[in-house]
Amino acid sequence: MTRYIRHSSALCALLLLALLVNAARVQVVDSASLDGNAANRRPAIARFEQPRGDILVDGRPITGSKDTGEQLRYERTYNNGPLYAPVTGYASQMYGTTFLENAEDAILSGTDPMLAPLPLWNDVTRARNPGGTVETTIRAAVQRAAYSGLGGKRGAVAAVEPSTGKILALVSTPSYDPERLSGNGRAVAKAWQGLNSAPDKPMLNRAIRQTYPPGSTFKVVTAAAALDSGAVTDPDAPTKSPSPYTLPGTKTRLTDEADGCAGASLRHAFQWSCNTVFAKLGVDTGLGPMVETARKFGFDGGGLRIPSPVSASYFDPSLDKAQLALSAIGQYETRATPLQMALVAAAVANGGSIKAPYLVERTTTDDGDVVSASGPRTLRQAMNPGTAARLREMMTQVVEKGTGANAAVPGATVGGKTGTAQHGIGNAGTPYAWFVSWAQAPREPEPSVAVAVVVEEASADRGDISGGGSAAPVAKAVMEAALKSARRDGL
């Protein structure tokens, strides 16, 4: 009898060992594949079982969470969703996350280990921290001014603080309400399909994910290259620039819309946006200095994050002379995001130094303890300080007595550059209207805002398109709001 008991005990022990081995296999070896299995709803249930942390603008939440009482309990809500969609992105139970909702997901969802009260605390207790808070650098008044200024037209605005790199506004229109994508029902699937099939692409973040030919706003970069390289030593000296100008090695003639461009000085050509002068200037400066300067400004440099990734702007490093002439006036294959062109204006305003742009001021726990904080960081020196000073002067003259008069802000010093970018097969597309600028308040030592505006103007007549007419008034409204906001904050 004892022998049978021993055999039974050994068998039970063996079965118990087999269960333990299998449990270990399931929990250790197969855990990753089981967690990722589409049929496993536990991660989703856990993810949405508590409210998501908030994103703040001017210290106030522009997001929230609502209790649905369903298995996936909390859905994301948005205050002024279309206004802030290019900043927040969406947090959807069906389609994941984008932009800040994605880049700061660990903080907002409560999964970041830095939110735990003690190291390894959550590993021991299996607890989940409340979602943290993300405080942005966006100023509500500046964001509203940009959104209202575009008025629903296809386009984008980026505004930065030149001395720090803080992003003050990031707007893309037409926009959408990200709350329509928060849940998991049929209405969400229908909204997703409609938004993705819409011809005006409301979910496209034109400010940081769309590149455009920058047109004449790129002449800021060309002028910097010419001055830094010594191709131009005196901005007031006449140039040997014919009008029209025949592109090297071709029979194609480039013309000007402004008068007095033949042989015009750099200052006059910049003020009235003479294409012939700048096309020839790009060729005279040479491909090497042009490529080097473009890269110093941020072109051809991938990996920029704010913290969401920004599409790379592009200046072709392998051009013949005719192509270089067109690229020097922001055409051919030259492409830029609105944020990149805001950084070009910011470099002029900040003595040639480009500060790394950033969108998140700090992240905190739900009770206000700082998890991480951002601050100014120099990205690169785009040009010599003396060149930046000359460009500031020339940009000021563009607004005071040139093509950018519509951007003038009473009482403030404003510098700007207009641009009209051709595109499409045979340049048949309606041109894009550009304006880049910076503004300095009276008695302030330095400019407090730099802006880039692009307006696609898909429904406008070609004759009505101009950076000074369509984009400059938007930039003016943004700069006015930024200057008022800075005064109110005591900056």
Side-chain angles (χ1 to χ4, degrees):
M1 186 66 178
T2 304
R3 183 164 61 102
Y4 294 119
I5 294 175
R6 285 200 306 268
H7 290 171
S8 298
S9 299
L11 179 60
C12 289
L14 184 61
L15 292 174
L16 178 60
L17 179 62
L19 288 173
L20 293 174
V21 170
N22 187 62
R25 179 185 63 81
V26 170
Q27 296 182 20
V28 177
V29 178
D30 296 340
S31 60
S33 62
L34 292 173
D35 284 342
N37 192 301
N40 181 16
R41 289 182 53 85
R42 291 183 64 84
I45 293 171
R47 177 179 178 83
F48 299 109
E49 70 181 359
Q50 68 178 22
R52 192 169 173 82
D54 282 323
I55 299 172
L56 307 184
V57 169
D58 289 344
R60 292 184 290 273
I62 58 172
T63 58
S65 296
K66 67 178 180 181
D67 189 349
T68 64
E70 299 177 358
Q71 191 177 52
L72 302 183
R73 184 170 175 182
Y74 285 95
E75 288 182 9
R76 195 54 147 168
T77 61
Y78 295 88
N79 304 322
N80 294 317
L83 174 62
Y84 291 110
V87 176
T88 62
Y90 58 77
S92 171
Q93 293 179 347
M94 291 181 67
Y95 302 110
T97 56
T98 57
F99 302 120
L100 274 188
E101 294 278 28
N102 177 265
E104 299 293 346
D105 182 66
I107 290 288
L108 296 168
S109 65
T111 59
D112 193 312
M114 296 298 293
L115 297 173
L118 294 171
L120 303 179
W121 177 261
N122 290 352
D123 293 337
V124 175
T125 63
R126 309 291 291 179
R128 189 183 183 94
N129 300 306
T133 296
V134 175
E135 300 181 24
T136 72
T137 59
I138 296 292
R139 293 184 189 166
V142 184
Q143 185 83 359
R144 285 195 297 268
Y147 188 79
S148 299
L150 286 172
K153 300 184 183 75
R154 288 207 304 249
V157 176
V160 301
E161 189 174 70
S163 61
T164 63
K166 291 181 180 179
I167 297 175
L168 308 180
L170 205 64
V171 168
S172 175
T173 57
S175 188
Y176 72 104
D177 187 354
E179 191 168 333
R180 296 176 62 193
L181 304 177
S182 293
N184 55 59
R186 291 182 179 178
V188 173
K190 184 177 181 180
W192 174 263
Q193 183 179 9
L195 289 169
N196 279 282
S197 62
D200 53 5
K201 300 181 180 179
M203 294 178 70
L204 172 63
N205 191 333
R206 291 172 165 86
I208 64 172
R209 293 288 178 85
Q210 178 75 354
T211 59
Y212 300 88
S216 292
T217 59
F218 191 80
K219 291 172 183 174
V220 176
V221 179
T222 302
L227 290 166
D228 271 357
S229 68
V232 172
T233 55
D234 182 0
D236 295 303
T239 59
K240 297 178 181 179
S241 305
S243 181
Y245 170 60
T246 302
L247 299 180
T250 75
K251 296 181 180 180
T252 301
R253 301 204 310 170
L254 193 65
T255 60
D256 293 298
E257 294 186 10
D259 296 326
C261 288
S265 67
L266 176 63
R267 188 183 304 277
H268 179 90
F270 194 91
Q271 182 177 332
W272 294 105
S273 204
C274 296
N275 284 333
T276 55
V277 174
F278 274 91
K280 185 175 184 299
L281 187 59
V283 175
D284 292 344
T285 300
L287 180 60
M290 284 292 297
V291 170
E292 180 184 3
T293 302
R295 287 177 175 171
K296 286 180 179 178
F297 274 96
F299 288 78
D300 303 328
L304 181 63
R305 305 182 72 91
I306 61 170
S308 302
V310 180
S311 295
S313 298
Y314 180 68
F315 184 85
D316 194 339
S318 57
L319 301 166
D320 63 28
K321 289 186 177 181
Q323 294 164 347
L324 179 58
L326 292 174
S327 297
I329 59 173
Q331 297 289 168
Y332 190 58
E333 299 295 335
T334 307
R335 308 281 297 186
T337 62
L339 178 59
Q340 172 61 60
M341 294 313 297
L343 295 180
V344 168
V348 176
N350 197 43
S353 176
I354 298 180
K355 299 296 182 180
Y358 63 99
L359 188 56
V360 176
E361 189 79 68
R362 66 179 61 85
T363 60
T364 67
T365 63
D366 67 315
D367 54 7
D369 294 333
V370 176
V371 175
S372 66
S374 302
R377 178 174 61 87
T378 300
L379 197 59
R380 60 182 66 88
Q381 186 73 24
M383 60 190 137
N384 294 326
T387 296
R390 284 177 165 178
L391 284 172
R392 278 179 67 163
E393 184 180 324
M394 289 193 290
M395 290 182 75
T396 302
Q397 291 170 342
V398 168
V399 174
E400 290 180 349
K401 47 189 177 183
T403 58
N406 285 337
V409 176
T413 301
V414 176
K417 183 68 191 80
T418 55
T420 303
Q422 307 291 337
H423 70 101
I425 299 174
N427 290 332
T430 302
Y432 299 135
W434 275 95
F435 195 76
V436 299
S437 60
W438 50 265
Q440 181 175 347
R443 296 181 296 278
E444 291 296 328
E446 58 190 11
S448 56
V449 61
V451 181
V453 178
V454 63
V455 181
E456 296 183 20
E457 288 278 9
S459 62
D461 293 330
R462 289 181 62 93
D464 295 335
I465 299 291
S466 74
S470 299
V474 181
K476 174 183 178 179
V478 174
M479 290 185 290
E480 284 182 315
L483 294 176
K484 290 178 182 177
S485 177
R487 286 197 298 269
R488 186 168 56 249
D489 295 341
L491 300 176

PDB file of all heavy atoms in Angstrom, residues 16-35:
ATOM      1  N   LEU A  16       2.539  18.350 -11.002  1.00  0.00           N
ATOM      2  CA  LEU A  16       2.681  19.717 -10.493  1.00  0.00           C
ATOM      3  C   LEU A  16       3.860  20.418 -11.159  1.00  0.00           C
ATOM      4  O   LEU A  16       3.766  21.591 -11.551  1.00  0.00           O
ATOM      5  CB  LEU A  16       2.864  19.687  -8.975  1.00  0.00           C
ATOM      6  CG  LEU A  16       3.066  21.058  -8.297  1.00  0.00           C
ATOM      7  CD1 LEU A  16       1.852  21.961  -8.543  1.00  0.00           C
ATOM      8  CD2 LEU A  16       3.294  20.881  -6.793  1.00  0.00           C
ATOM      9  N   LEU A  17       4.968  19.685 -11.304  1.00  0.00           N
ATOM     10  CA  LEU A  17       6.133  20.264 -11.972  1.00  0.00           C
ATOM     11  C   LEU A  17       5.810  20.618 -13.420  1.00  0.00           C
ATOM     12  O   LEU A  17       6.232  21.673 -13.926  1.00  0.00           O
ATOM     13  CB  LEU A  17       7.294  19.267 -11.906  1.00  0.00           C
ATOM     14  CG  LEU A  17       8.596  19.712 -12.599  1.00  0.00           C
ATOM     15  CD1 LEU A  17       9.139  20.978 -11.929  1.00  0.00           C
ATOM     16  CD2 LEU A  17       9.629  18.587 -12.545  1.00  0.00           C
ATOM     17  N   ALA A  18       5.058  19.756 -14.090  1.00  0.00           N
ATOM     18  CA  ALA A  18       4.678  20.031 -15.473  1.00  0.00           C
ATOM     19  C   ALA A  18       3.820  21.283 -15.574  1.00  0.00           C
ATOM     20  O   ALA A  18       3.981  22.100 -16.495  1.00  0.00           O
ATOM     21  CB  ALA A  18       3.940  18.829 -16.054  1.00  0.00           C
ATOM     22  N   LEU A  19       2.904  21.455 -14.588  1.00  0.00           N
ATOM     23  CA  LEU A  19       2.065  22.658 -14.571  1.00  0.00           C
ATOM     24  C   LEU A  19       2.911  23.904 -14.366  1.00  0.00           C
ATOM     25  O   LEU A  19       2.683  24.940 -15.008  1.00  0.00           O
ATOM     26  CB  LEU A  19       1.012  22.542 -13.479  1.00  0.00           C
ATOM     27  CG  LEU A  19      -0.130  21.546 -13.733  1.00  0.00           C
ATOM     28  CD1 LEU A  19      -0.996  21.407 -12.481  1.00  0.00           C
ATOM     29  CD2 LEU A  19      -0.986  22.017 -14.910  1.00  0.00           C
ATOM     30  N   LEU A  20       3.888  23.808 -13.451  1.00  0.00           N
ATOM     31  CA  LEU A  20       4.754  24.960 -13.196  1.00  0.00           C
ATOM     32  C   LEU A  20       5.598  25.304 -14.424  1.00  0.00           C
ATOM     33  O   LEU A  20       5.778  26.483 -14.766  1.00  0.00           O
ATOM     34  CB  LEU A  20       5.662  24.678 -11.985  1.00  0.00           C
ATOM     35  CG  LEU A  20       4.950  24.558 -10.629  1.00  0.00           C
ATOM     36  CD1 LEU A  20       5.933  24.131  -9.539  1.00  0.00           C
ATOM     37  CD2 LEU A  20       4.300  25.886 -10.263  1.00  0.00           C
ATOM     38  N   VAL A  21       6.118  24.262 -15.078  1.00  0.00           N
ATOM     39  CA  VAL A  21       6.907  24.497 -16.285  1.00  0.00           C
ATOM     40  C   VAL A  21       6.043  25.142 -17.372  1.00  0.00           C
ATOM     41  O   VAL A  21       6.464  26.078 -18.059  1.00  0.00           O
ATOM     42  CB  VAL A  21       7.527  23.189 -16.787  1.00  0.00           C
ATOM     43  CG1 VAL A  21       8.136  23.368 -18.182  1.00  0.00           C
ATOM     44  CG2 VAL A  21       8.589  22.700 -15.811  1.00  0.00           C
ATOM     45  N   ASN A  22       4.832  24.648 -17.523  1.00  0.00           N
ATOM     46  CA  ASN A  22       3.941  25.211 -18.542  1.00  0.00           C
ATOM     47  C   ASN A  22       3.567  26.651 -18.217  1.00  0.00           C
ATOM     48  O   ASN A  22       3.511  27.506 -19.110  1.00  0.00           O
ATOM     49  CB  ASN A  22       2.688  24.348 -18.667  1.00  0.00           C
ATOM     50  CG  ASN A  22       1.799  24.787 -19.830  1.00  0.00           C
ATOM     51  OD1 ASN A  22       2.225  24.738 -20.978  1.00  0.00           O
ATOM     52  ND2 ASN A  22       0.588  25.223 -19.515  1.00  0.00           N
ATOM     53  N   ALA A  23       3.310  26.910 -16.917  1.00  0.00           N
ATOM     54  CA  ALA A  23       2.987  28.278 -16.516  1.00  0.00           C
ATOM     55  C   ALA A  23       4.156  29.212 -16.790  1.00  0.00           C
ATOM     56  O   ALA A  23       3.977  30.352 -17.257  1.00  0.00           O
ATOM     57  CB  ALA A  23       2.614  28.313 -15.034  1.00  0.00           C
ATOM     58  N   ALA A  24       5.360  28.734 -16.504  1.00  0.00           N
ATOM     59  CA  ALA A  24       6.546  29.540 -16.788  1.00  0.00           C
ATOM     60  C   ALA A  24       6.699  29.790 -18.279  1.00  0.00           C
ATOM     61  O   ALA A  24       7.063  30.885 -18.717  1.00  0.00           O
ATOM     62  CB  ALA A  24       7.790  28.857 -16.225  1.00  0.00           C
ATOM     63  N   ARG A  25       6.420  28.756 -19.060  1.00  0.00           N
ATOM     64  CA  ARG A  25       6.503  28.920 -20.516  1.00  0.00           C
ATOM     65  C   ARG A  25       5.525  29.970 -21.010  1.00  0.00           C
ATOM     66  O   ARG A  25       5.871  30.852 -21.810  1.00  0.00           O
ATOM     67  CB  ARG A  25       6.216  27.582 -21.204  1.00  0.00           C
ATOM     68  CG  ARG A  25       6.248  27.653 -22.744  1.00  0.00           C
ATOM     69  CD  ARG A  25       5.824  26.332 -23.370  1.00  0.00           C
ATOM     70  NE  ARG A  25       4.447  25.999 -23.037  1.00  0.00           N
ATOM     71  CZ  ARG A  25       3.378  26.516 -23.671  1.00  0.00           C
ATOM     72  NH1 ARG A  25       3.542  27.383 -24.658  1.00  0.00           N
ATOM     73  NH2 ARG A  25       2.163  26.152 -23.324  1.00  0.00           N
ATOM     74  N   VAL A  26       4.275  29.896 -20.499  1.00  0.00           N
ATOM     75  CA  VAL A  26       3.255  30.842 -20.925  1.00  0.00           C
ATOM     76  C   VAL A  26       3.615  32.262 -20.499  1.00  0.00           C
ATOM     77  O   VAL A  26       3.489  33.221 -21.272  1.00  0.00           O
ATOM     78  CB  VAL A  26       1.879  30.435 -20.348  1.00  0.00           C
ATOM     79  CG1 VAL A  26       0.853  31.545 -20.580  1.00  0.00           C
ATOM     80  CG2 VAL A  26       1.406  29.134 -20.979  1.00  0.00           C
ATOM     81  N   GLN A  27       4.104  32.415 -19.240  1.00  0.00           N
ATOM     82  CA  GLN A  27       4.339  33.744 -18.704  1.00  0.00           C
ATOM     83  C   GLN A  27       5.669  34.348 -19.137  1.00  0.00           C
ATOM     84  O   GLN A  27       5.819  35.571 -19.143  1.00  0.00           O
ATOM     85  CB  GLN A  27       4.281  33.704 -17.174  1.00  0.00           C
ATOM     86  CG  GLN A  27       2.910  33.318 -16.635  1.00  0.00           C
ATOM     87  CD  GLN A  27       2.854  33.333 -15.119  1.00  0.00           C
ATOM     88  OE1 GLN A  27       3.684  33.956 -14.469  1.00  0.00           O
ATOM     89  NE2 GLN A  27       1.876  32.647 -14.562  1.00  0.00           N
ATOM     90  N   VAL A  28       6.637  33.531 -19.501  1.00  0.00           N
ATOM     91  CA  VAL A  28       7.958  34.049 -19.840  1.00  0.00           C
ATOM     92  C   VAL A  28       8.241  33.904 -21.339  1.00  0.00           C
ATOM     93  O   VAL A  28       8.499  34.878 -22.047  1.00  0.00           O
ATOM     94  CB  VAL A  28       9.062  33.348 -19.013  1.00  0.00           C
ATOM     95  CG1 VAL A  28      10.434  33.870 -19.438  1.00  0.00           C
ATOM     96  CG2 VAL A  28       8.819  33.558 -17.534  1.00  0.00           C
ATOM     97  N   VAL A  29       8.183  32.664 -21.832  1.00  0.00           N
ATOM     98  CA  VAL A  29       8.579  32.401 -23.212  1.00  0.00           C
ATOM     99  C   VAL A  29       7.552  32.936 -24.213  1.00  0.00           C
ATOM    100  O   VAL A  29       7.894  33.580 -25.205  1.00  0.00           O
ATOM    101  CB  VAL A  29       8.802  30.890 -23.436  1.00  0.00           C
ATOM    102  CG1 VAL A  29       9.174  30.614 -24.893  1.00  0.00           C
ATOM    103  CG2 VAL A  29       9.877  30.369 -22.495  1.00  0.00           C
ATOM    104  N   ASP A  30       6.272  32.669 -23.931  1.00  0.00           N
ATOM    105  CA  ASP A  30       5.217  33.037 -24.881  1.00  0.00           C
ATOM    106  C   ASP A  30       4.536  34.354 -24.560  1.00  0.00           C
ATOM    107  O   ASP A  30       3.575  34.725 -25.225  1.00  0.00           O
ATOM    108  CB  ASP A  30       4.157  31.932 -24.937  1.00  0.00           C
ATOM    109  CG  ASP A  30       4.703  30.620 -25.472  1.00  0.00           C
ATOM    110  OD1 ASP A  30       5.750  30.668 -26.139  1.00  0.00           O
ATOM    111  OD2 ASP A  30       4.086  29.574 -25.213  1.00  0.00           O
ATOM    112  N   SER A  31       5.003  35.068 -23.537  1.00  0.00           N
ATOM    113  CA  SER A  31       4.278  36.258 -23.089  1.00  0.00           C
ATOM    114  C   SER A  31       4.190  37.322 -24.172  1.00  0.00           C
ATOM    115  O   SER A  31       3.140  37.942 -24.372  1.00  0.00           O
ATOM    116  CB  SER A  31       4.946  36.843 -21.844  1.00  0.00           C
ATOM    117  OG  SER A  31       6.284  37.212 -22.125  1.00  0.00           O
ATOM    118  N   ALA A  32       5.288  37.533 -24.899  1.00  0.00           N
ATOM    119  CA  ALA A  32       5.291  38.579 -25.920  1.00  0.00           C
ATOM    120  C   ALA A  32       4.289  38.276 -27.033  1.00  0.00           C
ATOM    121  O   ALA A  32       3.523  39.151 -27.451  1.00  0.00           O
ATOM    122  CB  ALA A  32       6.698  38.734 -26.503  1.00  0.00           C
ATOM    123  N   SER A  33       4.281  37.043 -27.514  1.00  0.00           N
ATOM    124  CA  SER A  33       3.360  36.698 -28.597  1.00  0.00           C
ATOM    125  C   SER A  33       1.913  36.725 -28.136  1.00  0.00           C
ATOM    126  O   SER A  33       1.016  37.119 -28.889  1.00  0.00           O
ATOM    127  CB  SER A  33       3.701  35.315 -29.163  1.00  0.00           C
ATOM    128  OG  SER A  33       3.563  34.307 -28.167  1.00  0.00           O
ATOM    129  N   LEU A  34       1.668  36.329 -26.881  1.00  0.00           N
ATOM    130  CA  LEU A  34       0.302  36.367 -26.353  1.00  0.00           C
ATOM    131  C   LEU A  34      -0.169  37.795 -26.129  1.00  0.00           C
ATOM    132  O   LEU A  34      -1.323  38.127 -26.400  1.00  0.00           O
ATOM    133  CB  LEU A  34       0.223  35.567 -25.047  1.00  0.00           C
ATOM    134  CG  LEU A  34       0.416  34.053 -25.179  1.00  0.00           C
ATOM    135  CD1 LEU A  34       0.492  33.395 -23.811  1.00  0.00           C
ATOM    136  CD2 LEU A  34      -0.721  33.446 -25.999  1.00  0.00           C
ATOM    137  N   ASP A  35       0.747  38.650 -25.621  1.00  0.00           N
ATOM    138  CA  ASP A  35       0.377  40.055 -25.432  1.00  0.00           C
ATOM    139  C   ASP A  35       0.034  40.720 -26.754  1.00  0.00           C
ATOM    140  O   ASP A  35      -0.849  41.566 -26.834  1.00  0.00           O
ATOM    141  CB  ASP A  35       1.528  40.823 -24.768  1.00  0.00           C
ATOM    142  CG  ASP A  35       1.631  40.527 -23.278  1.00  0.00           C
ATOM    143  OD1 ASP A  35       0.646  40.018 -22.711  1.00  0.00           O
ATOM    144  OD2 ASP A  35       2.697  40.810 -22.690  1.00  0.00           O
TER     145      ASP A  35
END
